[in-house]
Amino acid sequence: MTGPREVTQGASADESARHRSGLPSGGESPLNRSTGPAATGVDHPLRYGYGTNGLTDLRLNDALSLLADLGYDGVGLTLDHMHLDPLAPDLATRTRRVARRLDELGLGVTIETGARYVLDPWRKHGPSLLDPDPDQRARRVDLLIRAVQIAGDLGAHAVHCFSGIAPEDTDEDTAWKRLAETLAPVLDAATTAGIPLAIEPEPGHLLATLTDFHRLRRTLGSPDALGLTLDIGHCQCLEPLSPAECIRAAAPWLRHVQIEDMRRGLHEHLPFGDGEIDFPPVLEALATTSYQGLMVVELPRHSHAGPQLAEQSLQFLQRAAAGLKSKDLDGSQVPDKTPIPGEGPAASEGRTP
């Protein structure tokens, strides 16, 4: 392991927030800027993170220290009962404590909202934005607005969310209308905070593919606050394009990246090398599209081996990136003709097979 990160002392609150979000001093809000090359003085623009949903057997402070010692650039912080519980008392004080620790360790952060049972001990990921009961939908909205507020306090570069599974007794048009209406107050909060809301296409959910993301985006009128979380494994699982092609197609809207290995047609998050993904082209695509946020390893079913997998995952990604040519890692834009799923006159509004 490497030693703890060296952190500049005496930074202002605004400077600390910019540091965690990956912005240079005096830079724009993450909401209003396009992706661009990382700050100078680093070898390449790729910034690695690890998700706390894969470190649930560790206290949050221990998890953050572990990631900094290993050499990670940041953390995907899932708001859950064991890690910065968004519903427990004295949230503001606890958030300030986490902010100080992130600054001490030099870690960037993105906020994840995929905790399984944080709202309902009986229903995984329930209630969702699609729940038939408006009071239940409001609970999810409240959680997401809290997440936006926490993200602002921590200087996070994005807040992640997902649509949820459409209820069996709800027709598709109703479900899409409900999703758009329910997201509206969350997008308002994200706009006010200057934090992108990055929705994730999730296999089995109403919003499952890049095509579905564009359907929602157009329905909402393409608000600046709405961005995309792209899970590289999900691309391998069900998208018609390769993961690298998905990155290039999604680049204008890309605000957060999750990464792990996966097999075609099987939604199972796997350690690197256990699936079918060819990772050097994935990292090249992220570098050449100048994605500036964190690339967060997501292994939520592997907490039993979290510290070991965190170390192995970073080594794997660094080895994969080391083979890329320097011109692919300088953050420069390259021409791209990859078709955008869901875009163009022949695009279908239906689900990608």
Side-chain angles (χ1 to χ4, degrees):
M1 294 185 184
T2 60
R5 300 287 182 87
E6 181 179 342
V7 180
T8 301
Q9 300 298 319
S12 69
D14 286 345
E15 288 170 341
S16 297
R18 289 192 185 100
H19 169 73
R20 291 190 296 272
S21 66
L23 286 172
S25 180
E28 296 178 87
S29 159
L31 181 61
N32 298 318
R33 64 176 171 85
S34 61
T35 55
T40 57
V42 296
D43 292 335
H44 54 71
L46 301 177
R47 300 174 63 227
Y48 305 113
Y50 200 90
T52 59
N53 62 357
L55 297 169
T56 56
D57 292 320
L58 276 66
R59 298 177 183 87
L60 179 57
N61 187 59
D62 291 339
L64 298 179
S65 298
L66 170 79
L67 298 180
D69 286 347
L70 287 173
Y72 277 94
D73 301 292
V75 58
L77 176 55
T78 296
L79 304 179
D80 207 347
H81 62 85
M82 80 293 289
H83 291 155
L84 194 56
D85 188 340
L87 304 180
D90 209 7
L91 178 60
T93 298
R94 291 183 288 112
T95 301
R96 285 194 295 270
R97 190 178 303 128
V98 173
R100 287 195 297 270
R101 190 59 178 153
L102 290 169
D103 281 342
E104 291 168 359
L105 297 171
L107 291 173
V109 62
T110 188
I111 298 300
E112 307 261 4
T113 61
R116 295 184 181 95
Y117 296 101
V118 68
L119 290 177
D120 189 328
W122 292 94
R123 292 186 294 165
K124 180 181 176 182
H125 299 315
S128 78
L129 295 167
L130 302 173
D131 197 286
D133 185 339
D135 291 337
Q136 293 298 308
R137 295 199 297 273
R139 295 178 61 205
R140 177 62 61 173
V141 168
D142 176 71
L143 174 66
L144 294 179
I145 291 176
R146 285 174 182 248
V148 170
Q149 294 167 343
I150 292 169
D153 291 340
L154 296 182
H157 71 79
V159 172
H160 151 275
C161 69
F162 46 68
S163 69
I165 299 171
E168 291 184 1
D169 57 349
T170 302
D171 66 83
E172 186 172 333
D173 288 342
T174 298
W176 280 105
K177 180 180 179 181
R178 184 177 294 165
L179 176 61
E181 292 175 348
T182 308
L183 270 181
V186 185
L187 288 167
D188 288 344
T191 299
T192 299
I195 304 290
L197 183 70
I199 194 162
E200 177 188 8
E202 182 79 20
H205 284 211
L206 177 69
L207 197 155
T209 66
L210 288 174
T211 296
D212 295 332
F213 166 72
H214 289 296
R215 175 173 180 170
L216 176 66
R217 180 180 61 80
R218 289 193 298 269
T219 298
L220 290 168
S222 301
D224 289 340
L226 182 65
L228 175 70
T229 292
L230 190 66
D231 187 302
I232 303 304
H234 295 174
C235 296
Q236 176 69 22
C237 180
L238 52 73
E239 292 286 356
L241 301 177
S242 72
E245 290 170 330
C246 286
I247 291 166
R248 289 189 284 270
W253 303 275
L254 192 57
R255 299 296 177 265
H256 181 41
V257 171
Q258 297 170 345
I259 190 166
E260 69 284 317
D261 216 339
M262 201 168 289
R263 300 186 182 98
R264 184 71 180 170
L266 183 62
H267 184 202
E268 181 182 5
H269 291 234
L270 300 172
F272 297 119
D274 288 358
E276 301 170 342
I277 299 176
D278 182 15
F279 283 97
V282 169
L283 301 184
E284 180 181 359
L286 287 169
T288 56
T289 55
S290 298
Y291 171 68
Q292 191 172 315
L294 290 171
M295 182 196 330
V296 174
V297 178
E298 190 180 30
L299 294 172
R301 298 183 183 273
H302 293 78
S303 283
H304 63 282
Q308 292 76 29
L309 281 171
E311 183 173 22
Q312 293 166 13
S313 296
L314 184 58
Q315 292 172 350
F316 179 95
L317 291 170
Q318 289 173 335
R319 286 196 302 270
L324 302 181
K325 296 178 181 178
S326 60
K327 69 181 180 64
D328 295 326
L329 294 171
D330 64 4
S332 61
Q333 292 284 356
V334 295
D336 176 53
K337 298 180 180 180
T338 303
I340 299 172
E343 295 289 271
S348 169
E349 292 289 356
R351 183 64 44 79
T352 301

